[in-house]
Amino acid sequence: MKRMISFTVLLAAFLLFAFFNTGKTTQSSQADSKTQKIYKIGILQLMTHPALDQIHAGVLAGLKQEGFVSGRNLKIDYENAQGDQSNLQTMSSKFANEKDDMTIGIATPAAQALAKAANGQTPVILAGITDPVGGGLIKSNARPGANITGTSGESPLKSQLDLIKQILPKAKTLGIVYTTSDHGGSYNAKKMAAIAKAAGYQVKLYTISTTNDMQTIAEKMVSQVQAVYAPQDNGVASAMKTLVNVANQSKVAVFPAVDTMVQAGGLATLSVNQFTLGKESGIIAGRVLKGEKTSTYPLTFVTRGQMAINTSEAKILGITLPNSVVKQAQTKGEIYK
Amino acid sequence: MSMIVSSIGQGLLWGILGIALFLTFRILNFPDMTVEGSFPLGAASAVTLITHGVDPLLASLAAFVVGALAGGITGLLYTKGKIPILLAGILVMTACLSINLRIMGSANVSLLGKKTIFSPLAGLPKYFDAIFIGLTIIVVVTLVIIYFLQSELGQAFIVTGDNPTMAQSIGIRTDRMTNMGLMVSNGLIAFGGAVIAQNNGYADINMGIGIIVIALASIIIGEVVFGELTMNQRLLAITLGSIIYRFVLLIVLQLGFSTNDLNLISAILLAICLMAPWLNSLLHLDKVIKKGVTVHD
């Protein structure tokens, strides 16, 4: 009991002291940071995941292109919450407390935690956030407002649909599968469904709640559709092999949203490279450090996709890929065999 | 310094979960997995209500009711359906995922720019909004629970956990007691979820993952650090334990440990705390500490 009382008293005394002193320390160190030439950047990533890691590597490359190199004029503080969202706030308040000049958020909850901690003051750069307006991060894509801007990781859905049309002109029913708990996945899936419907397709949406559901859902799906679209979705990406195995048995082609999913057995895609996406964010971060205003810096969409095709998959399905597609993949894209 | 303030604030807010879990984990003596579902359930309900213009305080209280319902279902599955408690909890937790999606309509709903229970305190020094709200909630919740446990109903509730057979023999309806415990506990967990979501600025479908470890940590650290206590003191110890847990995380982060190892480190910390009685008997720490204290005196 004694220990408990002394601990409580200690806490209360500290809080009382902190209450009357926090304001002052902020001001003095803000003055310091103006004379500093080494910029401090906090990067917060939601979890370890191939696509997110690629974005992270891209951010560093983009910063480098703008002349900011870690160890020379840049100090990078990198935190990864490992999917545990209760860590995000501690980590982002650590950045805020260390007076980082800027923070960069990879994945939506990470960016939201940073936005909250920055409280409208230090700039927050979004790296590949699918739907920043819907996530309440910015006011509009053209004029983000406040202190947040960056890149959106939205897939070039229209071009991807055109690719499906080009390869399978006869397909009329399109199945789209996504994970209910993945914000980006459901956003992309619903948007693609709308675009495909407008283009005259009959669209059927299927959802999984964990990767374990893929086998059952995929079996049902391939019996009802002529082609499958797999959006940028963490759950679907993880279960890509299962989806492809099922689809191959019914000779239904799977068109994924990213190149790594083509590698895992998808037929073809026109995708935004995650590294390029991160690099674009890094460049924006560099420009903001040089003095550009975040509030008027429009959100950047990386729209130019890279062709990626899987030739062995085409053989399995008995599909001959159009020459124009193959050529595009040969010159500027990826061919997986 | 403000990092420490932030940690204390977080500790107070997460302390609500510790106190809630104490009712089932320590008093009723069973592990309730429902909490990993009722926590995001509370967050989802409150955040959705707030985005629809409901007063944040009212929305948080609504979260309590929804959470209590979830706890009630676990209770019914256990007492009437004769499903083992661990399984009953996991079932409700799993069901909550779909329900949360229905409530929120998407996997993540943001509160940026919306009024929350923290908004009126925006003028305070940094992180003191969490301190004041957390402290108020903790004090109210602790007092209510202390009052409840001292009442006739509360005593019956305690006996149910201690010895259900004896409780039944003296005419206590143990099933009702269990249901009530699960409802109050999960109501509080959901309320905690609502408050923490407002503090974080968003509700996310996956925010329940690992919650039970955080709540357990507060209980166990409090017990180990502060030793033998009465029931009322134990409730206070949970909140302090929750604050200490945040300090440990802060130290781990500041020491520059890779965040990849954070979960491993908290698991090791908890394991050490759980083994404390055994370590104590092995190393005679008690005597060492007592000697140290007497020498200094």
Side-chain angles (χ1 to χ4, degrees):
Chain A
M1 186 62 198
K2 250 191 207 164
R3 251 180 286 169
M4 204 153 86
I5 294 175
S6 30
F7 184 73
T8 317
V9 170
L10 219 66
L11 276 184
F14 169 79
L15 284 178
L16 204 67
F17 173 77
F19 186 81
F20 293 106
N21 286 283
T22 12
K24 289 174 199 163
T25 46
T26 331
Q27 279 165 0
S28 62
S29 47
Q30 256 172 3
D32 288 347
S33 64
K34 271 178 193 161
T35 52
Q36 240 171 9
K37 274 183 187 153
I38 296 174
Y39 291 100
K40 272 168 75 184
I41 291 189
I43 301 180
L44 184 60
Q45 187 174 328
L46 178 64
M47 57 174 151
T48 308
H49 177 283
L52 299 185
D53 292 343
Q54 280 287 310
I55 294 180
H56 178 218
V59 167
L60 299 183
L63 279 165
K64 197 172 174 185
Q65 189 180 318
E66 287 295 305
F68 294 97
V69 181
S70 179
R72 202 162 71 212
N73 53 358
L74 196 64
K75 188 174 171 290
I76 289 182
D77 199 355
Y78 171 67
E79 299 284 2
N80 186 325
Q82 290 308 323
D84 184 344
Q85 302 201 2
S86 67
N87 292 334
L88 287 176
Q89 216 204 1
T90 312
M91 290 168 177
S92 42
S93 55
K94 183 185 163 203
F95 292 158
N97 181 55
E98 288 176 354
K99 310 280 180 307
D100 284 2
D101 296 293
M102 168 187 284
T103 51
I104 300 174
I106 304 174
T108 308
Q112 284 169 328
L114 290 177
K116 180 94 200 309
N119 201 14
Q121 283 160 1
T122 46
V124 178
I125 306 296
L126 310 173
I129 309 296
T130 306
D131 178 23
V133 177
L137 286 160
I138 57 172
K139 284 198 194 85
S140 77
N141 291 335
R143 287 181 75 88
N147 58 334
I148 303 172
T149 187
T151 59
S152 166
E154 197 173 305
S155 305
L157 300 171
K158 270 216 176 81
S159 341
Q160 289 178 347
L161 189 71
D162 286 342
L163 181 69
I164 299 177
K165 212 184 272 177
Q166 216 179 329
I167 296 176
L168 294 176
K170 283 180 190 156
K172 282 286 162 269
T173 46
L174 182 68
I176 303 177
V177 60
Y178 66 97
T179 318
T180 43
S181 58
D182 190 302
H183 186 62
S186 41
Y187 174 82
N188 279 323
K190 283 172 192 161
K191 200 157 178 187
M192 183 55 140
I195 293 173
K197 256 179 213 157
Y201 278 91
Q202 198 192 336
V203 181
K204 287 188 170 147
L205 286 168
Y206 300 84
T207 60
I208 58 170
S209 52
T210 71
T211 49
N212 297 329
D213 301 342
M214 186 54 103
Q215 182 79 28
T216 328
I217 300 292
E219 278 169 11
K220 187 179 160 204
M221 176 166 66
V222 294
S223 68
Q224 295 173 328
V225 302
Q226 291 163 305
V228 172
Y229 176 72
Q232 190 165 342
D233 175 304
N234 294 332
V236 175
S238 312
M240 193 63 194
K241 280 268 187 249
T242 318
L243 174 61
V244 169
N245 282 343
V246 175
N248 280 351
Q249 277 163 23
S250 308
K251 302 244 185 267
V252 173
V254 178
F255 295 88
V258 278
D259 49 357
T260 50
M261 288 159 87
V262 171
Q263 195 175 8
L267 180 62
T269 192
L270 202 67
S271 76
V272 170
N273 185 289
Q274 298 294 304
F275 183 82
T276 318
L277 191 62
K279 192 171 174 189
E280 196 63 41
S281 290
I283 292 170
I284 295 176
R287 291 196 181 143
V288 170
L289 282 181
K290 285 178 187 164
E292 282 211 40
K293 279 214 174 68
T294 44
S295 55
T296 50
Y297 200 120
L299 196 80
T300 309
F301 289 87
V302 181
T303 44
R304 250 176 309 133
Q306 259 180 9
M307 187 69 75
I309 58 171
N310 190 328
T311 48
S312 62
E313 186 61 29
K315 230 173 262 165
I316 294 171
L317 296 169
I319 292 174
T320 346
L321 292 167
N323 265 334
S324 58
V325 170
V326 178
K327 250 187 206 150
Q328 220 179 320
Q330 274 167 344
T331 48
K332 272 195 90 182
E334 294 278 349
I335 298 179
Y336 300 103
K337 281 175 184 158
Chain B
M1 188 166 66
S2 59
M3 270 315 278
I4 305 175
V5 177
S6 163
S7 289
I8 298 175
Q10 291 293 305
L12 287 169
L13 294 178
W14 289 95
I16 306 167
L17 301 199
I19 292 176
L21 197 70
F22 182 79
L23 295 176
T24 52
F25 181 68
R26 277 298 186 226
I27 299 188
L28 285 181
N29 231 341
F30 55 63
D32 176 25
M33 292 299 291
T34 322
V35 297
E36 298 221 344
S38 52
F39 179 79
L41 179 65
S45 321
V47 168
T48 308
L49 284 174
I50 291 172
T51 51
H52 282 84
V54 176
D55 179 73
L57 190 63
L58 211 64
S60 310
L61 294 175
F64 179 92
V65 178
V66 180
L69 282 176
I73 293 169
T74 305
L76 286 178
L77 289 176
Y78 172 60
T79 56
K80 300 281 179 259
K82 304 294 174 210
I83 297 175
I85 187 73
L86 199 65
L87 215 55
I90 291 174
L91 287 180
V92 175
M93 173 185 99
T94 312
C96 276
L97 185 94
S98 303
I99 292 170
N100 292 344
L101 274 171
R102 285 255 175 227
I103 294 174
M104 294 201 288
S106 79
N108 183 296
V109 174
S110 169
L111 273 177
L112 289 175
K114 293 275 186 311
K115 253 181 106 179
T116 68
I117 50 171
F118 294 93
S119 311
L121 299 175
L124 292 176
K126 222 171 176 186
Y127 305 127
F128 272 91
D129 52 348
I131 302 262
F132 278 98
I133 297 277
L135 206 57
T136 316
I137 294 172
I138 283 288
V139 168
V140 172
V141 168
T142 309
L143 286 179
V144 169
I145 289 182
I146 286 176
Y147 175 79
F148 161 72
L149 289 179
Q150 245 107 59
S151 70
E152 208 166 306
L153 186 66
Q155 290 293 320
F157 177 64
I158 294 173
V159 174
T160 303
D162 283 345
N163 190 338
T165 323
M166 190 194 77
Q168 270 167 359
S169 73
I170 55 173
I172 295 170
R173 294 188 178 179
T174 49
D175 279 3
R176 275 196 189 177
M177 291 297 143
T178 307
N179 281 341
M180 181 186 69
L182 282 166
M183 286 182 78
V184 174
S185 167
N186 282 293
L188 277 177
I189 297 264
F191 179 70
V195 173
I196 287 163
Q198 291 177 60
N199 191 236
N200 288 345
Y202 66 87
D204 188 278
I205 194 79
N206 294 320
M207 69 192 289
I209 297 171
I211 290 307
I212 201 158
V213 174
I214 299 171
L216 277 180
S218 346
I219 299 176
I220 292 161
I221 293 176
E223 282 169 359
V224 169
V225 173
F226 301 111
E228 291 280 313
L229 297 169
T230 65
M231 182 69 96
N232 296 348
Q233 290 164 356
R234 281 174 85 179
L235 286 171
L236 180 57
I238 294 167
T239 306
L240 298 177
S242 168
I243 293 174
I244 295 173
Y245 179 65
R246 290 287 141 188
F247 282 162
V248 173
L249 287 185
L250 179 66
I251 292 167
V252 170
L253 277 178
Q254 294 288 0
L255 287 179
F257 272 96
S258 162
T259 41
N260 293 8
D261 304 329
L262 212 54
N263 285 6
L264 177 66
I265 292 168
S266 17
I268 292 175
L269 173 82
L270 272 191
I272 292 175
C273 286
L274 283 165
M275 288 191 296
W278 174 74
L279 287 175
N280 199 2
S281 66
L282 195 74
L283 305 169
H284 302 292
L285 284 176
D286 256 2
K287 280 182 193 161
V288 177
I289 291 170
K290 262 190 196 141
K291 260 189 196 163
V293 172
T294 40
V295 167
H296 282 291
D297 275 349

